Amino acid sequence: MRTTQDQAIHLKNYKEPEYRIGTVDLDIDLHPNKTRVKSKLSVIRQKNVTKDTPLILDGDELKLISVSLNGKLLSGDDFHETQTELTIKKLPKSAKFELEIETEIDPTANTKLMGLYRSGGNYCTQCEAEGFRRITYFLDRPDVLAVYTTRLEAHKSENPVLLGNGNPVKKGSAGKGRHYAIWHDPHPKPSYLFALVGGDLGSIHKPFKTLSGRKVKLGIYVEKGKENSADYAMDALIRSMKWDENVFDCEYDLDVFNIVAVSDFNMGAMENKGLNIFNDKYVLGDPETATDAEYSNIEGIIAHEYFHNWTGNRITCRDWFQLCLKEGLTVYRDQEFSSDERSRPVKRIADVRGLKASQFPEDAGPLAHAVRPETYREINNFYTATVYQKGAELIRMLATIIGEQKFKKGIDLYFKRHDGDAATIEEFLKCFEQAAKVDLSQFALWYSQAGTPLLNVSSKYNKSKQTFILEFEQITPSTPGQKRKLPVYIPQRIGLIGSNSNDMKATKVVGAEFKDDVLHLTKRKHKVTFSGINERPVFSLNRGFTAPIEVDYRQSPSDLAFLAANDADTFSRWQAYQNYASKLLLAGYRAVLANKTMKIDAKFLDISKDTLLDESLEPAYRATILSLPSEGDLAQIIGKNVNPDAIAKSLSVLKTALGEIFEPERNKVLNSLKSSDSFNASAAEAGKRSLRSLLMAYAVASKSKSALKDVVSNYKKSNNMTDRFNALRTIVNYHPTKTARDKALADFYKRYTHPTPKPECFGVI
Ligand code: PHE
Ligand code: ZN
């Protein structure tokens, strides 16, 4: 059926639009099946474009009612309509003209959730990437920026709330039980940021004053009766707004900022200008039903969409190939926000785990693509882990390579130079090149080359010469359509740790640039010599996960143990503990398969106990580091012919051993992690909950008598979903008595079964 969509679109074929649109006046009469859309466009022909060049507008599933040009109704000969396009053939001489188009759409029949649709009786829209063309004929491409004024009309009792982009201008009665609202958005924007909502919704409101004194009315709209569950989201929004002012000097720019939660939504949420629309699971947070992980998701996604106001909306993308320009950068910004609001090391570990779980396999499989792809058939398939998560890693790596201060200078320049633009990755990188006075052409390969580079590393210590020599070789595997790869710019934050557990300082480093603990590897191979190293160091590399690469560096169990106990870098310390634990668990796995008993390494248990008791580490970090690799992590390392029972057995033996060694300390540690009686969703409290739960899980795994009792009473007395669910999981996984397990499950089922179970929605995650 579709013609243009079936053909691949190529970045190299990008052409500037021949026509632009200055203003858009929309008049939308909301009706369940026959919504009328009147659109008045001021069109501007671009320089060097002749009047014979037809104006071709995009459309999809629209019923065309009429077209007028400069106030004159056009006849069928003057335009041509297909399923995907409306072509205006005869155009006036003057470069500027006005086009009025009237269309009809059926929001109730729209089950694609693209364009205008209905969710639970409410009207809402989704226009990214190409949904606006399902509302009206338009130049539906991100480099056509226009100023929108929208008049909405609906039945007053059915849709008392009418929201649009920008600022509210006027509202009133439209007769016959109908009412209207007019919204004006002064900021030119691409059509994918258009939104409207018409519905019967409850709401909460808070005032916000920006740094320069602008008063903003914040609103969150939810299903009636759920208003209280939006308080956490509102708090997260206010913290996001303040953070963006403090860290990026980005202020909000309208008089209102509204968020609407809907239950039917294909993705997480959408950053429409001044009117974000959310999948309601990322807005509603109630202690009875939301876990700490869900609260942190709400916080992160509220921040992400809000941060798009600058990175995405004020500066948008020239074309969809540049998607990572807004998404990678905005993910980086939300990760930084959550790191500041919560625990930085725990956030970093979670992000890297996520990257390795979803982006690494993507990069290694048949769908591998560059962070900025060069061709696509269907843009909706490019909202990927590579564009979002690897895209964020590239920004983080850029900050590491040029340093925090120059990074800030570069981003400031980007905001200043490109405010109001539809920009490209090249323009973005140019800002950093100029601010930091560096050449980023090699770094730019990260945007065009797919695949996860592998860094092979070997080391040698020479006692008599007091040198430590590192050899590096990078290889990026071939990916579909990209056989040969060039060497990429790999920064490596490293440490040479001495026996006193401090990082040693070399007197001289040759073989690669080395500055502020970062090695800059730019060639396929490097041999780097550190001089003045007076004892064999334990080498810590890819600290903080400096680069999104795989590292192959053989480390002895004793070096891993040393790093797990001593690495000053909290990420690498976690990584070392994980690698160490994996080695033990895999040895255990093999022992189980051979019907032998699994050996438990006493040193591992000692390090674990010291870590548990180290109060200089936040509870959230202690819980993260002491969580053993999952069944899935281990299966991935084993690769072929995985025996899940043997993995489970190996894990259970190690957990039991940890439970036994922790047992004498358990009550003391639990006492230090006490929470107040009323529930608090803060990161600090969440951290305590997670360490308490880990301790209880290991204690129950080791069949501690008191723990078996305590976990059941913890289940019963929990005042929040996190504690209750953690206790349930521990009981179900480790409690030896079947009745205890069955009782807990039955109670949980009874407690949380919706009175009228809601059938699972199709395709909605
Ligand atoms: N742009 C949205 C986000 O932040 C994601 C999205 C894409 C939502 C396409 C809907 C449709 O990240
Ligand atoms: Zn986004």
Side-chain angles (χ1 to χ4, degrees), residues 309-599:
N309 191 55
W310 274 91
T311 49
N313 301 4
R314 291 287 289 245
I315 307 179
T316 195
C317 304
R318 187 192 72 174
D319 53 71
W320 291 117
F321 295 103
Q322 322 294 330
L323 185 57
C324 63
L325 178 75
K326 75 177 177 83
E327 294 304 346
L329 179 54
T330 305
V331 171
Y332 169 77
R333 275 152 52 68
D334 84 56
Q335 289 176 345
E336 282 299 293
F337 167 73
S338 294
S339 301
D340 285 345
E341 297 288 302
R342 293 175 171 256
S343 156
R344 183 165 282 273
V346 171
K347 175 67 180 154
R348 187 67 190 132
I349 291 163
D351 290 339
V352 173
R353 285 188 73 116
L355 183 83
K356 286 189 171 181
S358 54
Q359 199 277 325
F360 276 28
E362 189 169 276
D363 233 355
L367 297 179
H369 55 275
V371 170
R372 187 184 63 183
E374 275 157 36
T375 160
Y376 66 78
R377 279 168 197 278
E378 169 56 65
I379 187 57
N380 288 317
N381 294 337
F382 273 91
Y383 288 78
T384 60
T386 298
V387 170
Y388 275 68
Q389 290 163 262
K390 189 173 178 180
E393 290 303 319
L394 303 194
I395 307 288
R396 187 172 301 282
M397 214 170 13
L398 175 61
T400 305
I401 290 172
I402 64 177
E404 292 296 334
Q405 277 176 1
K406 287 179 179 161
F407 179 78
K408 180 69 171 75
K409 268 176 105 179
I411 198 95
D412 287 348
L413 180 59
Y414 175 65
F415 286 138
K416 210 170 127 205
R417 182 181 288 171
H418 291 292
D419 186 11
D421 286 352
T424 62
I425 287 295
E426 282 76 8
E427 287 170 321
F428 174 75
L429 290 178
K430 179 137 260 125
C431 295
F432 293 89
E433 288 193 317
Q434 291 181 354
K437 301 193 174 65
V438 288
D439 175 0
L440 293 173
S441 50
Q442 189 188 10
F443 175 75
L445 283 174
W446 280 105
Y447 284 94
S448 57
Q449 266 185 196
T452 306
L454 167 68
L455 190 62
N456 283 309
V457 188
S458 63
S459 64
K460 227 188 299 162
Y461 178 64
N462 188 323
K463 177 111 192 96
S464 60
K465 289 195 185 147
Q466 307 239 310
T467 55
F468 184 65
I469 299 169
L470 287 168
E471 293 202 49
F472 297 95
E473 180 175 8
Q474 59 159 293
I475 303 153
T476 304
S478 302
T479 52
Q482 283 187 343
K483 208 159 183 298
R484 288 184 170 280
K485 311 275 181 170
L486 295 166
V488 287
Y489 193 135
I490 301 182
Q492 277 297 290
R493 192 177 297 283
I494 60 160
L496 310 185
I497 312 174
S499 50
N500 62 1
S501 62
N502 290 333
D503 286 4
M504 299 194 260
K505 287 264 165 287
T507 50
K508 206 170 102 192
V509 181
V510 294
E513 190 195 330
F514 184 61
K515 218 181 126 212
D516 300 331
D517 300 327
V518 177
L519 261 180
H520 296 249
L521 306 174
T522 52
K523 297 186 294 185
R524 211 174 281 282
K525 285 185 183 185
H526 281 266
K527 181 173 177 181
V528 184
T529 306
F530 295 80
S531 304
I533 305 297
N534 54 23
E535 62 171 328
R536 186 188 78 88
V538 177
F539 181 44
S540 166
L541 76 167
N542 212 19
R543 279 182 157 177
F545 205 67
T546 342
I549 56 172
E550 300 263 24
V551 173
D552 187 359
Y553 178 56
R554 295 224 174 110
Q555 265 167 325
S556 65
S558 68
D559 278 5
L560 280 179
F562 183 83
L563 292 173
N566 298 293
D567 200 321
D569 183 84
T570 45
F571 176 83
S572 292
R573 181 172 175 183
W574 167 82
Q575 184 71 69
Y577 185 93
Q578 292 298 302
N579 291 351
Y580 188 12
S582 299
K583 268 191 208 281
L584 300 181
L585 288 162
L586 292 174
Y589 172 80
R590 287 188 295 270
V592 175
L593 288 180
N595 265 324
K596 291 191 184 136
T597 39
M598 176 175 165
K599 277 201 215 91

Side-chain angles (χ1 to χ4, degrees), residues 139-155:
L139 293 174
D140 194 11
R141 45 188 284 174
D143 57 352
V144 171
L145 276 61
V147 170
Y148 287 66
T149 306
T150 309
R151 181 184 182 278
L152 299 169
E153 191 181 309
H155 210 276

